[in-house]
Amino acid sequence: MLEDVERWLSTRSWSVEDRPLKQLIAAKRATGSTVSVVLPALNEEETVGEIVAIIRRELMTRKVPLVDEIVVIDSGSTDRTSEVAAEAGARVVHRDEILPRLPAVPGKGEVLWRSLLVTRGDIVAFVDADLKEFSADFVSGIVGPLLTEPGVDLVKAMYDRPLGSAAGQGGRVTELMARPLLNMHWPQLAGFVQPLGGEYAARRSLLERLPFPVGYGVELGMLVDSLHLVGLDALAQVDVGVRKHRHQDGQALGRMSAAIYRTAQLRLARGHMIRPSLTQFERGEKGFEPRTYSVDMEERPPMAEIEEYVERKAA
């Protein structure tokens, strides 16, 4: 391991217990910072309501005013995700209502990018909407260093990811794709325990300068671009315990891996991808049948370059 990564692990890796809520509230008042929480959601009616309710109950009270707004961005749910989130106390915005002049494309990164236009916080925390047994520590943990450490711009959550009863086996794409890529090509980022985790927070001043891959590559792209833009010491991670969520099947993970590799490839060479598609196989009546999926190639530009965003900031 690189010496600067070892140093980083000792100076930029914390536990949620290192910063009690009382300390965070005092720091928030002292800095005058505001905090937005964004939940990207697609058919998450079973879990989104509890997540919203816990954040409101534990982090949005008169005694603990850590979070100023919680926004659920619905990217086309066909279940009751929007209704459940609204009933729990979130502001719900449909992806297609944001920046309507620019037609939306499917993908998590697209939703996160658009969320910058409908949130106001100086600090924006992203939380996946499929978490089970959710704890408010996921939010306070990733927001904490941004309130207490002026030199930190982005904080990732780290945690154990069980797969059923098997401890630590949940991050399959991380271990098979993302971690080898980072260690080989961006070794300064080798210290991140969960580089693809969906729970992280950053200063708006950083997020608005980053391009956003529209799909599953958004987390890796954001880490790599942030490293180049603000440096390793501006990045951090916080241990928040255990993350339980819905797991995807192997073929879905294959498509996710392809998108992540594409994101890395563009950052390595900014070159042309010869075959931006992935063929997988499923057994059918006549044997194995090919299924070919396109690998999303699109990225959204830094939000600071979008006219509507610039106008909103100036207003």
Side-chain angles (χ1 to χ4, degrees):
M1 184 178 292
L2 296 176
E3 288 186 9
D4 54 351
V5 176
E6 292 184 352
R7 176 189 53 79
W8 179 84
L9 282 169
S10 65
T11 61
R12 287 291 185 264
S13 291
W14 295 292
S15 166
V16 65
E17 297 174 353
D18 293 335
R19 294 175 177 82
L21 280 174
K22 184 178 294 186
Q23 178 186 356
L24 299 187
I25 298 304
K28 184 173 185 281
R29 288 172 177 156
T31 59
S33 300
T34 52
V35 176
S36 300
V37 174
V38 171
L39 275 70
L42 177 63
N43 294 329
E44 305 293 358
E45 66 176 3
E46 294 183 3
T47 50
V48 67
E50 182 179 4
I51 296 172
V52 171
I54 289 173
I55 293 173
R56 288 193 59 86
R57 184 172 66 245
E58 299 187 25
L59 302 177
M60 298 182 71
T61 65
R62 182 176 299 179
K63 185 178 180 179
V64 186
L66 184 66
V67 173
D68 297 285
E69 64 174 348
I70 180 168
V71 182
V72 171
I73 311 293
D74 190 331
S75 57
S77 297
T78 56
D79 63 3
R80 296 188 65 253
T81 291
S82 290
E83 293 86 344
V84 170
E87 290 168 1
R91 176 160 61 94
V92 179
V93 184
H94 194 282
R95 174 199 62 196
D96 297 345
E97 298 173 358
I98 308 169
L99 202 61
R101 72 168 175 84
L102 196 64
V105 297
K108 179 183 179 182
E110 177 83 353
V111 174
L112 301 185
W113 182 72
R114 288 176 185 260
S115 75
L116 298 180
L117 264 166
V118 293
T119 53
R120 294 282 183 178
D122 304 307
I123 295 169
V124 183
F126 299 116
V127 176
D128 283 349
D130 66 343
L131 300 188
K132 302 174 183 178
E133 301 178 24
F134 178 77
S135 167
D137 287 349
F138 276 78
V139 174
S140 60
I142 58 179
V143 167
L146 295 168
L147 293 171
T148 62
E149 306 289 335
V152 171
D153 289 330
L154 183 146
V155 182
K156 297 278 293 188
M158 57 176 166
Y159 32 66
D160 295 314
R161 293 183 67 182
L163 180 60
S165 59
Q169 298 300 308
R172 291 165 287 173
V173 174
T174 293
E175 300 304 329
L176 296 175
M177 175 59 71
R179 200 176 308 285
L181 280 172
L182 293 175
N183 276 263
M184 288 187 289
H185 299 296
W186 297 281
Q188 283 186 301
L189 298 174
F192 277 94
V193 175
Q194 297 292 350
L196 300 185
E199 289 68 48
Y200 50 97
R203 300 189 193 280
R204 178 176 295 270
S205 57
L206 171 62
L207 293 172
E208 66 187 14
R209 291 185 289 159
L210 295 174
F212 277 61
V214 298
Y216 285 121
V218 63
E219 274 85 22
L220 183 133
M222 190 176 295
L223 262 188
V224 171
D225 293 339
S226 295
L227 174 66
H228 289 297
L229 196 59
V230 296
L232 181 62
D233 283 340
L235 314 179
Q237 60 185 351
V238 173
D239 188 348
V240 296
V242 179
R243 183 188 198 268
K244 296 182 179 180
H245 65 113
R246 183 184 68 253
H247 292 285
Q248 301 193 54
D249 63 34
Q251 292 209 334
L253 297 179
R255 297 190 290 274
M256 186 184 302
S257 296
I260 290 166
Y261 179 76
R262 187 276 311 176
T263 300
Q265 182 192 48
L266 290 180
R267 278 150 181 78
L268 285 168
R270 295 291 173 182
H272 176 65
M273 189 171 186
I274 296 174
R275 188 170 180 266
S277 61
L278 174 72
T279 298
Q280 298 176 316
F281 294 88
E282 297 178 5
R283 184 180 289 279
E285 294 180 359
K286 298 181 179 180
F288 285 103
E289 300 175 356
R291 300 284 188 272
T292 299
Y293 301 88
S294 61
V295 177
D296 59 87
M297 297 293 292
E298 191 167 358
E299 294 195 4
R300 294 304 191 186
M303 188 58 77
E305 298 176 7
I306 299 299
E307 180 181 354
E308 288 89 337
Y309 186 80
V310 174
E311 291 176 351
R312 195 198 73 163
K313 285 192 72 176

